[in-house]
Amino acid sequence: MSDTGPHASIPNEPIGGSLITGFLGSGKTTLLNRLLRHPGMGDTAVIVNEFGEVGLDHLLIETSLDSAVLLKSGCLCCTLRGDLVDTLTSLFDRRQRGEVPAFRRVLIETTGLADPAPILHALMADPAVTAHYRMDHVITTVDAVNALGQLAEHYESAKQAAVADRLVLTKSDLASQTDVAVVTARLQALNAEAPILRVINGAIEPDALFGASGELPAVRRLESEPHDHAHEAHDAHQHGIGSYCLVHDVPLPWPRFAQWLEALASLRGPDLLRVKGIVHVQGRSRPVVIHAVQHVLHPPRELQDWPDADRRSRIVFITRNIAGAALEQSFRASISG
């Protein structure tokens, strides 16, 4: 099996890399401001677009380093210098040399109009990055006041919400309860698995955002499902984005399953917004975690143990213009041989 198989080499203690994204005006900068000051971020490096945008108070700065500042909270804040891969590798090298604190996780900020896919590709597939980092969480801020219009009018906004592991609903104190309920329903239709966290003025405990590793995808809600076949979780017609979950009761034949996933990514990559799941592989007692973003498949990782008593394979697909029935049909045809 190649490096896409479950026997692929696993780096020792890779650093969790998370992405914080959100549409213009969604409260991302406010959230970052609060996180940078929180003592719970003491083992975190945060890569921002510009220092000026997050408004660092000089009283909060403990030490100034080349293109980085160490805050009194212990958080290391640095700016994106050109290419993300170069920034991440340089930051790791400086960590190894003892020039910056030995951070255990990295948080990467995107611009409001950014497509998160290229950054996810770097975290998932670039050898220079995956040698030291692993993909952890996608955190998306959503403005409760303006979200409905943004989600309807801007594909970028809908995609940012669709690929998230955590949805941070901001400004809920400024919106009516009815509007908040409608926005919540809209987000659940776009992304059935991500928890929705209400945040006012950026105040949230870091553990709520980073507490559980992204290696355990948000599929535990399916534990109570009684059936062992693929089922549609939600079908969101906005921009053609929908979420679909495959649940399979018996161990999967890895070669057939991997070939199916690779073919799906090759043929429908632009519409395969995100795939995340935990898989029971034939002949293996430990679970294998899979991640994909569009045409890029992350090398699967074998966990030390199952997170719970459920041994079913559970895979969440966030797609655009791909019918759940078509996914199910091709999946069944592939694994049955």
Side-chain angles (χ1 to χ4, degrees), residues 109-182:
E109 177 200 16
T110 74
T111 61
L113 291 173
D115 180 350
I119 297 178
L120 296 178
H121 292 168
L123 285 171
M124 292 169 56
D126 192 294
V129 176
T130 58
H132 309 302
Y133 299 91
R134 69 164 187 268
M135 178 61 218
D136 234 352
H137 301 99
V138 178
I139 300 159
T140 301
T141 53
V142 180
D143 177 355
V145 176
N146 299 303
L148 289 179
Q150 291 171 348
L151 292 170
E153 296 171 15
H154 301 281
Y155 172 60
E156 297 88 350
S157 175
K159 185 175 182 179
Q160 289 169 351
V163 303
D165 295 298
R166 309 277 195 275
L167 288 164
V168 177
L169 188 61
T170 65
K171 307 180 187 178
S172 60
D173 56 322
L174 304 178
S176 68
Q177 291 186 357
T178 299
D179 286 346
V180 170
V182 173

Side-chain angles (χ1 to χ4, degrees), residues 299-312:
R301 296 179 63 86
E302 187 177 71
L303 301 183
Q304 290 300 312
D305 202 358
W306 288 85
D308 47 51
D310 194 342
R311 296 295 185 267
R312 295 176 299 169

Side-chain angles (χ1 to χ4, degrees), residues 263-274:
L264 183 64
S266 177
L267 295 172
R268 298 300 303 271
D271 297 321
L272 202 64
L273 302 186
R274 196 167 184 202

